[in-house]
Amino acid sequence: QVQLVESGGGLAQPGGSLRLSCETSGFGETSGFLFERHALGWYRQAPGKGCELVARILTTGPGKIDADSVKGRFDISRDNDKKTFYLQMNSLKPEDTAVYYCSAFGVRHGCRGQGTQVTVSS
């Protein structure tokens, strides 16, 4: 069974940075899901708002930022050897406050799982 676990959230000041990690397990021949063959992504859900796709990264090439509000500030990356991927968040703003969820398309996507809380406040 493939599992994805988010970490790295917390309290940050406006203008600060956080790096979220998504550690995975269960990818491999036994499950039939190979990490390097899946596009990956990050979603977020702010209080009282819907689930928003923040960024995606395909099996090769650079990541794509989907949320206009974070373009130029956030970056997504992956490490296939570690079966882990990341969301680097810079120049954080209070409106970035949300629960962030990681996704492996074809396995789990959307605002599902435990997520990691990011709070941006002075």
Side-chain angles (χ1 to χ4, degrees), residues 20-119:
L20 305 185
S21 298
C22 182
E23 296 184 10
T24 72
S25 61
F27 280 101
E29 296 292 339
T30 301
S31 66
F33 294 102
L34 298 180
F35 182 84
E36 60 271 22
R37 294 185 183 177
H38 286 267
L40 308 168
W42 286 92
Y43 289 80
R44 69 182 182 183
Q45 187 162 23
K49 296 188 177 181
C51 187
E52 177 186 31
L53 176 61
V54 177
R56 286 173 288 165
I57 186 166
L58 302 182
T59 55
T60 59
K64 179 181 183 298
I65 300 300
D66 291 274
D68 289 339
S69 63
V70 308
K71 286 183 178 177
R73 301 188 294 120
F74 288 14
D75 186 36
I76 185 173
S77 61
R78 64 189 293 164
D79 186 332
N80 287 344
D81 290 336
K82 295 181 179 179
K83 295 183 173 58
T84 301
F85 58 108
Y86 309 93
L87 184 68
Q88 178 67 44
M89 306 188 295
N90 300 322
S91 302
L92 284 164
K93 301 177 179 181
E95 50 263 43
D96 295 321
T97 295
V99 180
Y100 285 72
Y101 302 86
C102 60
S103 294
F105 297 102
V107 178
R108 185 185 89 181
H109 63 89
C111 294
R112 301 173 64 184
Q114 68 175 38
T116 186
Q117 175 71 47
V118 171
T119 302

